[in-house]
Amino acid sequence: MKSCKPCIFCAEIGNLLANYNFDKSKQCIGAMTIEIDFLQKKSTDSSPYDSDKMAAEFIQQFNNQAFSVTQQLVFSFCDKLFGLMVKDIEAMDASILRGETASGKKQKIDIGLMVGNSQVIFEKAESSSLTLVGKAKTKEARQTIINPEWNFEKMGIGGLDKEFSSIFRRAFASRVFPPDIVEQMGCKHVKGIMLFGPPGCGKTLMARQIGKMLNAREPKVVNGPEILNKYVGESEANIRKLFADAEEEQKRLGANSGLHIIIFDELDAICKQRGTGASSTGVHDTVVNQLLSKIDGVEQLNNILVIGMTNRPDLIDDALMRPGRFEVKMEISLPDEKGRVQILTIHTNKMRSFNLLAPDVDIKELAAETKNYSGAELEGLVRAAQSTAMNRHIKATSTVEVDMERAEKLQVTRSDFMGSLNNDIKPAFGTNQEDYSNYIMNGIIKWGDPVTHVLDDGELLIQQTKNSDRTPLVAVLLEGPPHCGKTALAAKIAEDSQFPFIKICSPEKMIGYSEIAKCQAIKKVFDDACKSQLSCVVVDDIERLLDYVPIGPRFSNLVLQALLVLLKRAPPKGRKLLIIGTTSRKDVLQEMEMLDAFSTTIHIPNISTGEQLVDALELLGSFTDKERANIAHQLKGKRVWIGIKKLLVLIEMSLQMDQEYRVTKFLSLLRDEGA
């Protein structure tokens, strides 16, 4: 380090001060604040300078010299020349000079003498690019990051308390602390948050409210497709424009720069995996590269927070997801019952304050009835109930008029909500009763103990799925001959489970699908099931899904491998999944090594005795007592072999005959079927 060399200017100052008598009890420097900047702008750099070492060097060079306020001088440190200006001088406490405890009194002076135990504090000049570290520097004034008018209760986010707390801990805790402490810890702020989850669960709402919560500039909200441009290089330029303000401010203010928030909606539109695009231009790849370099490149920014939102996280390039970029990954999932209470309360608050919500509306009851409803669907439910209530006060005449006398007494009632719940709004990740109601439209005919045992075992599997923490995935295979009622029993077990998510994966919905399309459709059913706390998936007629035929034999290995993976894939932590498969070709699945994918196998037999067949006829109530007695007499002591589904068809055919011929026709049809 270079020392200050005597010059003519210093000699003259020395001569002037030689005749000046200092009162050391009053004019020794206790603390001196000095404004510092590079002497020559061309010699600026971004390297941090240790203010503690700088202060020690300054005291060593200028010990026992006098300084006055507004005095300017040149200081050499680490082979760099700095321009200094004295801003403020405080006299040393006389108690310290006498070796006593400091009195705490501070006195400003215009001129003072530098001594060995003086304190030197450096303050960066305004608009200077100099970076100071250490304790011997002024604490720069900064704005608090949290908006003082922000109120968590008024945010309008329901059911996301845990997620929001986690985001605050990871992304904002370091920004609340003073920059000095963060700097001393060597801590870097989180610069990216990725919010993902099903549509309508509050990703965009949370990002918008984060912007309001922070005392930062207005967030820049960008929809992914808006970035893309048909001209070469324009898409990348659009990315650079988003970060231009943050770059300029960080160069100017350094660590004291304000926070710049950039929100990307539909991030998957521009940040797909690189190398997967079919176009020759590779626009998506260059956009991803540009975004990577801006968030965490060579000249990285520390004053940005980028929030990305998508419901397809599997499409996002892996390089964006590492720490330092989109570091905080938060799933915004379907709200639980407590969250649904909060959401419904938020959307009915205004009605309640104006006495437009009837007393019979119970928010907790509605929350219990709306399993697997997203936040957007709950808002839609409230709107549907409001429209139903308003429709009651519209006069059905030749013109559309509102009955003003009754409209003033308008109230949204429980029946309005229940009507909308049953008819208007259905959850995208919920139970579609129409799917399985067709399979059990004739009810379950308990023609014997085998049927009762299957339903009892099904109840045990339901309880195991609900209550067991060791087996979050339970898979059962119902196998038996064709037409024995496997699908109906599977649908009945699924209905009895009362799980919020029930889906039937059936070959009839995939007619004409290619192998890849069929795999994607099956995977979507299982992926959707993993988004619910409790789910039941019925995989019906597995050999038909596999395109199996005995001639050849031939089957789709692609679909087989997909099913083998999905049947064994455990759901995410805290979620439970019950899988019920049905097949008529257990032997084929055995050869395909598919039986091992199921936890257990339940056999469903055909009706095998005359007594069981007569019991089934009695439960169905299709024949008269006399006719059933005649059929029982004909079948006494004989063995039969027929599925309940086939039996229903034969009965309906027989009932089309005249009454005197019905029994004869029924027995004839049994013989023709080989039963």
Side-chain angles (χ1 to χ4, degrees):
M1 298 180 186
K2 295 181 180 179
S3 300
C4 181
K5 296 179 180 179
C7 59
I8 296 173
F9 175 77
C10 290
E12 291 178 356
I13 294 294
N15 291 332
L16 290 172
L17 294 174
N19 299 321
Y20 187 90
N21 295 319
F22 284 94
D23 184 353
K24 291 192 175 182
S25 64
K26 296 180 181 179
Q27 289 186 293
C28 285
I29 296 175
M32 183 167 69
T33 303
I34 301 173
E35 188 179 90
I36 183 170
D37 194 4
F38 292 106
L39 184 64
Q40 296 177 325
K41 296 299 180 184
K42 63 181 181 181
S43 65
T44 60
D45 62 27
S46 58
S47 303
Y49 289 89
D50 192 328
S51 60
D52 298 328
K53 292 180 179 178
M54 194 179 283
E57 178 71 12
F58 184 89
I59 293 172
Q60 182 180 348
Q61 290 185 22
F62 298 103
N63 189 30
N64 209 32
Q65 291 196 29
F67 291 92
S68 62
V69 176
T70 71
Q71 179 181 342
Q72 296 184 1
L73 64 155
V74 178
F75 173 56
S76 174
F77 179 74
C78 291
D79 295 329
K80 286 278 186 183
L81 291 176
F82 297 91
L84 309 183
M85 186 188 77
V86 179
K87 288 193 70 177
D88 185 71
I89 300 176
E90 287 182 8
M92 186 174 290
D93 193 337
S95 303
I96 297 177
L97 296 173
R98 294 194 296 267
E100 302 171 1
T101 306
S103 63
K105 294 180 181 179
K106 294 182 180 180
Q107 182 180 357
K108 302 282 185 180
I109 55 176
D110 293 327
I111 189 168
L113 187 69
M114 177 70 67
V115 293
N117 57 347
S118 297
Q119 182 183 4
V120 176
I121 302 168
F122 290 99
E123 181 179 296
K124 188 175 74 170
E126 188 177 355
S127 75
S128 172
S129 59
L130 177 66
T131 304
L132 294 176
V133 296
K135 296 179 180 179
K137 65 185 181 74
T138 57
K139 295 183 178 179
E140 299 170 357
R142 66 189 187 96
Q143 290 183 328
T144 175
I145 190 173
I146 304 298
N147 191 334
E149 297 178 0
W150 176 70
N151 185 344
F152 188 82
E153 295 178 358
K154 296 179 181 178
M155 286 188 69
I157 300 179
L160 297 175
D161 298 358
K162 183 180 178 183
E163 289 83 354
F164 192 85
S165 298
S166 180
I167 288 174
F168 189 89
R169 174 180 62 84
R170 292 292 311 281
F172 303 128
S174 63
R175 296 182 186 273
V176 172
F177 269 73
D180 297 338
I181 298 177
V182 175
E183 188 180 277
Q184 291 164 21
M185 291 181 70
C187 176
K188 289 184 179 179
H189 300 307
V190 167
K191 291 180 283 187
I193 302 173
M194 175 71 70
L195 304 179
F196 65 94
C201 286
K203 299 184 293 295
T204 306
L205 175 63
M206 177 171 279
R208 195 184 303 128
Q209 297 297 353
I210 286 173
K212 291 180 182 178
M213 178 198 76
L214 299 177
N215 196 13
R217 287 148 195 78
E218 187 71 21
K220 295 179 181 177
V221 182
V222 186
N223 289 319
E226 293 177 1
I227 292 293
L228 303 178
N229 194 298
K230 65 180 180 180
Y231 296 109
V232 176
E234 284 299 311
S235 300
E236 296 87 330
N238 289 337
I239 293 287
R240 290 194 292 273
K241 288 175 187 174
L242 292 173
F243 293 87
D245 294 341
E247 287 179 329
E248 185 274 330
E249 188 171 318
Q250 177 156 304
K251 287 179 181 177
R252 184 162 47 87
L253 299 177
N256 203 41
S257 170
L259 181 63
H260 294 252
I261 302 173
I262 303 171
I263 298 173
F264 284 97
D265 204 359
E266 305 299 339
L267 185 66
D268 52 277
I270 59 170
C271 292
K272 291 185 174 67
Q273 292 278 355
R274 286 172 290 179
T276 59
S279 66
S280 59
T281 58
V283 173
H284 285 91
D285 292 3
T286 55
V287 169
V288 174
N289 293 338
Q290 184 69 76
L291 188 59
L292 290 174
S293 65
K294 285 298 177 187
I295 297 177
D296 189 29
V298 176
E299 296 182 359
Q300 58 183 346
L301 300 172
N302 206 31
N303 62 342
I304 57 168
L305 178 64
V306 183
I307 304 175
M309 294 170 289
T310 179
N311 51 21
R312 291 296 304 275
D314 53 303
L315 298 180
I316 305 296
D317 191 88
D318 293 337
L320 279 167
M321 308 301 283
R322 74 154 173 80
R325 289 165 183 167
F326 286 103
E327 184 169 342
V328 179
K329 294 175 278 292
M330 184 62 58
E331 181 179 8
I332 309 299
S333 57
L334 296 168
D336 56 11
E337 189 167 333
K338 180 183 175 183
R340 293 195 295 274
V341 169
Q342 291 179 359
I343 295 169
L344 287 168
T345 302
I346 289 168
H347 291 303
T348 56
N349 264 340
K350 204 162 189 178
M351 287 192 291
R352 191 178 292 104
S353 62
F354 288 98
N355 198 29
L356 295 175
L357 195 66
D360 63 347
V361 177
D362 186 356
I363 297 297
K364 291 184 178 179
E365 180 193 10
L366 290 174
E369 292 291 330
T370 50
K371 294 176 182 175
N372 276 26
Y373 275 67
S374 67
E377 286 162 346
L378 291 170
E379 185 181 0
L381 174 66
V382 175
R383 283 200 304 269
Q386 290 169 340
S387 63
T388 303
M390 287 188 287
N391 191 58
R392 288 199 304 269
H393 299 82
I394 296 177
K395 295 178 181 178
T397 60
S398 56
T399 59
V400 178
E401 296 179 1
V402 177
D403 187 347
M404 295 304 297
E405 293 182 4
R406 296 179 59 195
E408 292 178 358
K409 300 178 182 178
L410 170 69
Q411 279 196 327
V412 183
T413 64
R414 178 182 180 276
S415 61
D416 295 328
F417 278 100
M418 290 303 173
S420 301
L421 193 63
N422 296 327
N423 303 317
D424 297 330
I425 308 296
K426 299 291 182 184
F429 299 95
T431 300
N432 189 350
Q433 195 169 359
E434 295 174 1
D435 274 358
Y436 58 80
S437 60
N438 292 332
Y439 296 111
I440 50 177
M441 59 182 178
N442 295 313
I444 299 298
I445 311 302
K446 297 181 182 179
W447 48 263
D449 291 340
V451 179
T452 305
H453 291 157
V454 170
L455 293 175
D456 290 343
D457 289 345
E459 180 60 30
L460 289 176
L461 292 167
I462 292 168
Q463 295 304 321
Q464 179 185 347
T465 307
K466 285 182 179 178
N467 303 325
S468 175
D469 293 328
R470 294 183 177 179
T471 54
L473 173 65
V474 177
V476 57
L477 178 66
L478 305 184
E479 63 85 17
H483 312 301
C484 66
K486 301 180 294 296
T487 304
L489 287 168
K492 179 63 176 174
I493 293 170
E495 183 186 43
D496 289 346
S497 71
Q498 295 295 303
F499 285 180
F501 181 94
I502 299 173
K503 280 287 189 293
I504 295 183
C505 183
S506 173
E508 67 184 32
K509 298 178 183 177
M510 304 180 194
I511 296 173
Y513 279 27
S514 66
E515 286 185 295
I516 294 176
K518 190 179 288 188
C519 289
Q520 290 173 340
I522 296 170
K523 181 177 180 294
K524 186 178 185 307
V525 171
F526 280 83
D527 287 345
D528 290 350
C530 289
K531 293 170 184 172
S532 173
Q533 298 294 322
L534 284 170
S535 304
C536 178
V537 175
V538 177
V539 186
D540 189 31
D541 215 354
I542 293 176
E543 62 273 15
R544 291 284 73 75
L545 283 173
L546 296 173
D547 298 329
Y548 169 77
V549 287
I551 302 172
R554 180 188 175 278
F555 64 92
S556 170
N557 189 53
L558 200 62
V559 178
L560 172 63
Q561 298 305 324
L563 276 174
L564 287 174
V565 171
L566 293 171
L567 288 171
K568 294 179 180 179
R569 187 181 72 179
K573 186 177 180 181
R575 298 176 190 175
K576 309 289 186 69
L577 176 60
L578 171 63
I579 302 172
I580 307 173
T582 70
T583 182
S584 300
R585 296 301 303 266
K586 179 184 176 184
D587 55 327
V588 173
L589 299 190
Q590 179 74 55
E591 291 180 8
M592 294 178 182
E593 298 182 349
M594 197 176 190
L595 289 184
D596 296 336
F598 290 94
S599 310
T600 184
T601 302
I602 299 176
H603 176 68
I604 300 174
N606 275 342
I607 295 173
S608 56
T609 66
E611 290 78 9
Q612 290 175 343
L613 191 147
V614 173
D615 289 343
L617 293 177
E618 185 176 353
L619 291 169
L620 289 167
S622 302
F623 292 102
T624 63
D625 293 343
K626 184 178 179 181
E627 288 171 333
R628 287 200 301 274
N630 188 4
I631 293 170
H633 177 71
Q634 296 287 337
L635 298 177
K636 187 175 181 180
K638 296 182 179 179
R639 293 188 62 81
V640 296
W641 188 251
I642 188 169
I644 186 67
K645 192 174 178 181
K646 177 66 73 173
L647 179 62
L648 284 169
V649 174
L650 300 185
I651 291 171
E652 291 303 313
M653 286 179 64
S654 304
L655 292 177
Q656 309 311 311
M657 302 288 291
D658 293 335
Q659 190 167 0
E660 55 187 300
Y661 301 112
R662 291 195 306 192
V663 174
T664 305
K665 182 63 178 176
F666 175 70
L667 294 171
S668 173
L669 290 170
L670 278 178
R671 283 193 295 271
D672 293 343
E673 290 291 334

